[in-house]
Amino acid sequence: MGWALKKPEGTPGSAAPAIMIGLFVAFGGILFGYDTGTISGIIAMPYWRNQFSTGAINPVDHKPDITAAQRSEIVSILSAGTFFGALGASPMGDIVGRRLGLILSSFVFTFGVILQTAATKIPLFVAGRFFAGLGVGLISALIPLYQSETAPKWIRGTVVGCYQLAITIGLLVASIVNNSTQNRNDTGSYRIPIAVQFAWAIILVVGMIILPETPRYLIKTGKGEKAAKSLSRLRRLDVTHPSLMEELAEIEANHQYELSLGKATYADCFKGTLGKRLATGCMLQGLQQLTGVNFIFYYGTQFFKNSGLQDPFVDSLITNIVNVCSTFPGLYLVEKWGRRPLLMFGAIGMFVCQFIVASVGTALPGSYVANKVLIAFVCVYIFFFACSWGPTAWVVTGEIFPLKVRAKSLSMTTATNWLLNWAIAYATPYLVDPPPVGTTGGYANLQSKVFFIWGSFCGLCAIFVYTLIYETKGLSLEQVDELYAKVDHAWQSKGFVPTVSFQEVRDAGPDELRRGSLADIESGAQRKRSLVQSDGVAEHTVSEKY
């Protein structure tokens, strides 16, 4: 089998254009990662704390700061915006298209960056983070949608996983910029990190103006000729090439089969196997957040500082470097191992690391040894997350839904990610921080004990993977529909071999399509094909006889 990821033998054309396009679109993840990463450092900068403080004093260093409630509001409001943005991605993606939707989302994001850059008080800063979050939410649902609809099936997992790689790069760049400006004694300390985001938005918009719309969206909107040209560009084949015409015909036939079962409303997303897939996607994205990874990237700098570490900005930079480097093995393993084994590997590894951090931090609070163990196993935990649940959650949710509900379902799974993101961002200061000076109630002051919570959810992740994650490695998006139609349990999905041709299924009568299961319709189509072949042989024999 070998170690390299290779295009299947006999596949005509080139996968390079689709791969390069998918990798460029993944660049939008930098907006997501950078915007997420800047806030951890900004709210710890001395100038920003003094500028935006409303009179609170930090109980650790006794300098001006914002309250835990204000910190919750500032950090979590981005996630509130992304939640609504993710839900809005479905109508935007279906009405104006995946490509134009990404362009419009970038303008929404840019408006939020403008407000944050101009802010000198908390209200305008919060408003800017909400609109930036709205844009990030739209982008975070549209990018995996665009990638999954354009990438070749044999490397789709790696291409979609690059979205997570871009997020980690954004987090790292944010950490570097924050570290460079933290000691400035002017507004440039926080305005420079925020304003850098204009560059990311401009690059994404310019690129999307040039790139094609996805062929599956064009089929969905009845633009077959444009779909052929788009697929031709992606596969580097002439529009009349038999292989390209076959792939396009299968996409169209699958879409017609889905439409024959009825038009897709939001209510339909919750019914039958569609509901099972939606539950899988929402739980996957929710559990990705409940592993606690964004606790590190939202509050890492402040947490390390409160834990007594000497240079929390550098420690945060180290965790971001580990995050980026560890994503690369995941991009390879998602196609070599498959989705299920990689997610299980990550869940077990994270579970062990979280409990080690929690146990040592609780037994030896504030000690030199405990702090070293904390940093070491936080980094090991990030490795397990970044090579598994980081990229693979986006890969799986991008490929398990049929075309007619893909935008709707993907927007809801992404919104679930952001809803839990918001809840964690909002609750963390109350869970982890000590009470402010002059107050006593309302703060759990868990410190390192919070890792017991994240570790418990990692254990739940392993159970979830075994029971609900289907193995979709190497299947086209249309073949994934067949997988869910024929295989009842996720643990039976390994080794599934697709046999359905949706072009044959399309030729079944409308009554048969509505009443029968996909397996029944396939059997009927095969019987018809056998009869046709038998009749052909019989006619040929008779003609030879006479």
Side-chain angles (χ1 to χ4, degrees):
M1 185 161 129
W3 289 95
L5 298 177
K6 296 180 180 178
K7 183 173 73 170
E9 291 185 13
T11 304
S14 172
I19 293 172
M20 296 306 296
I21 287 172
L23 293 180
F24 175 81
V25 173
F27 181 85
I30 289 183
L31 276 72
F32 176 172
Y34 187 92
D35 202 38
T36 300
T38 51
I39 197 62
S40 174
I42 285 173
I43 61 177
M45 291 178 180
Y47 186 89
W48 187 92
R49 286 168 53 184
N50 187 64
Q51 174 72 39
F52 286 83
S53 176
T54 54
I57 300 297
N58 189 295
V60 177
D61 61 13
H62 307 290
K63 293 180 180 179
D65 204 348
I66 56 175
T67 65
Q70 290 168 333
R71 188 178 298 114
S72 287
E73 179 187 25
I74 289 169
V75 174
S76 66
I77 196 67
L78 177 89
S79 302
T82 53
F83 172 76
F84 292 108
L87 290 177
S90 171
M92 178 177 282
D94 280 342
I95 293 171
V96 305
R98 287 47 162 153
R99 172 179 157 274
L100 186 56
L102 282 168
I103 293 173
L104 295 177
S105 303
S106 299
F107 285 115
V108 175
F109 172 79
T110 301
F111 177 66
V113 174
I114 291 171
L115 295 183
Q116 288 180 80
T117 306
T120 56
K121 299 294 179 185
I122 288 177
L124 186 60
F125 195 81
V126 167
R129 280 186 59 76
F130 176 81
F131 282 103
L134 194 66
V136 168
L138 290 164
I139 289 168
S140 66
L142 290 171
I143 285 177
L145 182 61
Y146 186 99
Q147 290 175 310
S148 64
E149 291 189 347
T150 54
K153 64 182 181 181
W154 62 273
I155 201 170
R156 183 178 61 242
T158 299
V159 171
V160 178
C162 284
Y163 175 52
Q164 177 66 21
L165 175 63
I167 294 172
T168 66
I169 292 172
L171 287 163
L172 175 59
V173 174
S175 184
I176 293 170
V177 175
N178 281 343
N179 201 44
S180 301
T181 66
Q182 61 165 311
N183 293 319
R184 289 178 64 110
N185 196 31
D186 56 26
T187 58
S189 61
Y190 68 90
R191 280 178 169 161
I192 291 172
I194 293 170
V196 166
Q197 296 174 103
F198 288 119
W200 314 142
I202 291 168
I203 291 170
L204 183 62
V205 168
V206 171
M208 293 311 301
I209 290 172
I210 301 169
L211 298 185
E213 182 56 86
T214 75
R216 286 176 171 86
Y217 171 75
L218 293 169
I219 287 290
K220 179 182 173 71
T221 52
K223 300 172 182 175
E225 187 175 335
K226 289 184 177 180
K229 290 179 180 177
S230 173
L231 193 60
S232 170
R233 187 174 171 185
L234 292 168
R235 302 292 183 262
R236 202 175 284 172
L237 290 169
D238 189 85
V239 291
T240 60
H241 193 283
S243 177
L244 186 140
M245 294 174 70
E246 174 71 17
E247 182 177 356
L248 199 65
E250 188 69 4
I251 294 170
E252 186 170 5
N254 172 260
H255 181 54
Q256 289 182 6
Y257 165 71
E258 291 293 335
L259 289 179
S260 72
L261 304 179
K263 288 190 175 182
T265 64
Y266 274 99
D268 293 323
C269 296
F270 295 87
K271 298 176 182 176
T273 62
L274 296 182
K276 180 179 180 178
R277 294 190 235 185
L278 181 62
T280 299
C282 288
M283 290 177 68
L284 179 62
Q285 290 284 14
L287 285 169
Q288 188 205 49
Q289 289 299 311
L290 290 169
T291 61
V293 67
N294 276 330
F295 166 75
I296 302 298
F297 296 117
Y298 279 149
Y299 293 104
T301 306
Q302 192 69 41
F303 176 74
F304 294 146
K305 188 174 183 178
N306 291 344
S307 297
L309 294 168
Q310 296 302 310
D311 198 336
F313 276 89
V314 172
D315 294 325
S316 183
L317 180 60
I318 290 170
T319 60
N320 279 290
I321 292 172
V322 172
N323 194 26
V324 173
C325 295
S326 301
T327 304
F328 286 98
L331 301 181
Y332 173 78
L333 293 173
V334 73
E335 292 297 350
K336 273 296 173 184
W337 284 7
R339 284 54 162 161
R340 275 174 63 85
L342 186 56
L343 287 170
M344 183 65 75
F345 168 76
I348 294 171
M350 289 188 294
F351 172 81
V352 173
C353 291
Q354 298 275 28
F355 272 85
I356 289 174
V357 170
S359 300
V360 174
T362 302
L364 303 169
S367 75
Y368 177 82
V369 173
N371 287 340
K372 293 299 180 184
V373 170
L374 186 150
I375 286 295
F377 277 93
V378 162
C379 288
V380 177
Y381 155 75
I382 290 173
F383 162 77
F384 279 110
F385 175 86
C387 74
S388 60
W389 280 74
T392 310
W394 298 106
V395 172
V396 172
T397 53
E399 63 191 10
I400 62 175
F401 301 112
L403 181 58
K404 71 173 184 176
V405 297
R406 188 169 295 140
K408 293 182 177 68
S409 296
L410 193 54
S411 74
M412 285 188 279
T413 61
T414 307
T416 302
N417 181 298
W418 287 115
L419 181 63
L420 269 297
N421 189 305
W422 168 82
I424 291 167
Y426 186 82
T428 292
Y430 298 102
L431 288 172
V432 178
D433 288 1
V437 176
T439 63
T440 54
Y443 294 84
N445 193 22
L446 292 177
Q447 297 297 324
S448 295
K449 295 186 188 74
V450 75
F451 287 92
F452 282 123
I453 298 174
W454 311 138
S456 299
F457 279 113
C458 291
L460 183 61
C461 287
I463 299 171
F464 165 74
V465 171
Y466 180 77
T467 55
L468 282 174
I469 294 296
Y470 280 67
E471 185 52 70
T472 51
K473 182 186 78 167
L475 300 178
S476 70
L477 298 182
E478 289 67 42
Q479 290 166 345
V480 172
D481 286 345
E482 182 185 351
L483 168 67
Y484 273 91
K486 290 184 174 180
V487 179
D488 293 328
H489 303 293
W491 57 87
Q492 299 171 334
S493 62
K494 185 179 179 181
F496 169 76
V497 178
T499 57
V500 167
S501 166
F502 280 97
Q503 294 174 68
E504 291 181 346
V505 170
R506 178 184 57 186
D507 296 333
D511 293 336
E512 188 178 352
L513 285 172
R514 280 192 295 268
R515 288 197 300 265
S517 68
L518 184 60
D520 294 335
I521 297 167
E522 179 193 10
S523 298
Q526 289 174 343
R527 283 196 298 272
K528 287 179 182 178
R529 185 171 68 244
S530 298
L531 288 172
V532 169
Q533 290 173 345
S534 299
D535 291 344
V537 170
E539 288 177 6
H540 180 68
T541 303
V542 170
S543 64
E544 282 187 342
K545 185 175 180 180
Y546 293 98

